[in-house]
Amino acid sequence: MKQQTLAIHAGYEKDEQRTMTVPIYMSTAFDFGSAEFAASSFNLEQGTDNVYTRVGNPTSAVFEKRMAAMEGGAAGLALASGMSAIFYSILNVAEAGDNIVCATQLYGGTVTLFTHTLKRLGIEARMFNVHDHEEMKALIDEKTKCIFFESITNPSIDVPDFEAIINEANAHGIITIVDNTVATPVLCQPLLLGADVVVHSASKYTTGQGLAIGGIVVERVNLVEKIAGNNRYNHFNEPEVSYHGLVFSDSVVSGILFTFRMRMVLMRDTGAVISPFNSWLFIQGLETLPLRMKQHSESALAIAKHLEAHPKVKRVNYPGLESNHNYVMGQNYFNGGHSGLLSFEVEDREAAQKIVDATEIFSIVANIGDSKSIITHPASTTHQQLSEQELIDAGVPGGLIRLSVGLEDTQDLIADLEKALG
Ligand code: PLP
């Protein structure tokens, strides 16, 4: 089935009430009916459905199945936020003494998670320029547990060479994790390009209206083939003491391994669970995601072209522009557009902040992926915690302005920017 159909139907079978809209199962727990069934559920013999909402909920299950279908993956796990989705995906592979190899061009919150919080847990983040594959290769060793990058980097708007990164990871048996938040599965499907795991902040384009915080992790089909017997991932291949010696890579149910362990160990123990109500909001949003991403992309491209011709603009970062160094990668790996995120550089920090203040339709908000257009000065907001060197590495000079192009009329947005640029 095509994306537009999956976005509306995947993962939902009407219940006995035949409700057209997925019901919200706002319940903490579910009745087992018998002591025997309860015991077998706790022993993981009944799957993960209808036990306790921390480890699974019927409304959230529809969101998980729908996103997994749209990503072309095997299964998903919804979480409380995009940050918890990223954190859990790392904790699922790495522990103290290990390292992860990740692109420097990342969302600012991911940079601080990787370089500060993970460091305190004993996990080292080794950063490489997303376009420098030699630098990446040199960072890999036997303790490397994943390679992490974004499918469109935020806010430098780079598109990585998926093939080069994934081939190198595969040569070492290392798991690749891709943050697909900005692209969404409508425009790019990293799992079908060979990546192993996709993570999302569902807080962005999924509803497209900035309604709720949420996240999701999706694993590719047959990931067990990479993990089973792989010494890098002994914790999947050795008996899990907290489940009476269960070996996760031997216990694969319906091809689900990565998110199964994440749910049954990390979610069980640390509980960054999504509210069923938020899952329901995300399900509603997904129905229109393919239509919205088309419009966001068309409008962003028109704005990028306009800005590129403006004398006060030094540089525009948008992979849909033929002049952009990411154009070829954008054509290779994206389908139907390049999303609504673009950035452009003006003279300096002061000029950038003046433009941000002068726009009227654009709101000054620390968010992206909304139907309402957003303008941000990353160096003083989303990336404020980064040092000067980290700002340069992340591709965030002081004069950089980021736009999240919404769904308003394109010409109105261009006129607003034109006026602000002066
Ligand atoms: N990944 C990307 C690319 C983001 O832009 C963000 C938030 O801006 C996140 C992850 C974090 O997501 P959340 O705010 O849902 O925790």
Side-chain angles (χ1 to χ4, degrees), residues 98-133:
D98 291 336
N99 68 73
I100 62 169
V101 169
C102 42
T104 47
Q105 293 94 335
L106 293 174
Y107 162 63
T110 310
V111 175
T112 49
L113 166 66
F114 285 1
T115 55
H116 300 293
T117 301
L118 289 186
K119 190 175 173 191
R120 298 192 71 184
L121 297 178
I123 300 168
E124 182 195 356
R126 300 179 173 178
M127 314 292 261
F128 68 99
N129 180 320
V130 77
H131 296 304
D132 189 344
H133 306 131

Side-chain angles (χ1 to χ4, degrees), residues 195-211:
D196 298 313
V197 175
V198 155
V199 295
H200 279 274
S201 165
S203 327
K204 316 294 173 193
Y205 287 109
T206 311
T207 70
Q209 295 174 319
L211 296 179

Side-chain angles (χ1 to χ4, degrees), residues 11 34 83 85 124 191 194 220 235 240 285 294 298 306 325 331 356 366 370 396 408-409:
S34 74
M83 288 319 300
E124 182 195 356
L191 302 181
R220 78 164 161 83
H235 54 297
E240 169 68 41
K294 187 168 177 284
E298 280 176 15
H306 188 88
H325 66 282
Q331 296 299 309
V356 169
D370 199 305
V396 187
E408 302 94 340
D409 180 82

Side-chain angles (χ1 to χ4, degrees), residues 80-84 86 107 110 150 152 154 179 181-182 200-204 213-215 366-368 402:
S81 65
M83 288 319 300
S84 55
I86 295 170
Y107 162 63
T110 310
E150 295 177 356
I152 297 188
N154 170 16
D179 183 334
T181 300
V182 177
H200 279 274
S201 165
S203 327
K204 316 294 173 193
I213 299 283
N367 195 19
I368 57 168
R402 186 186 69 190

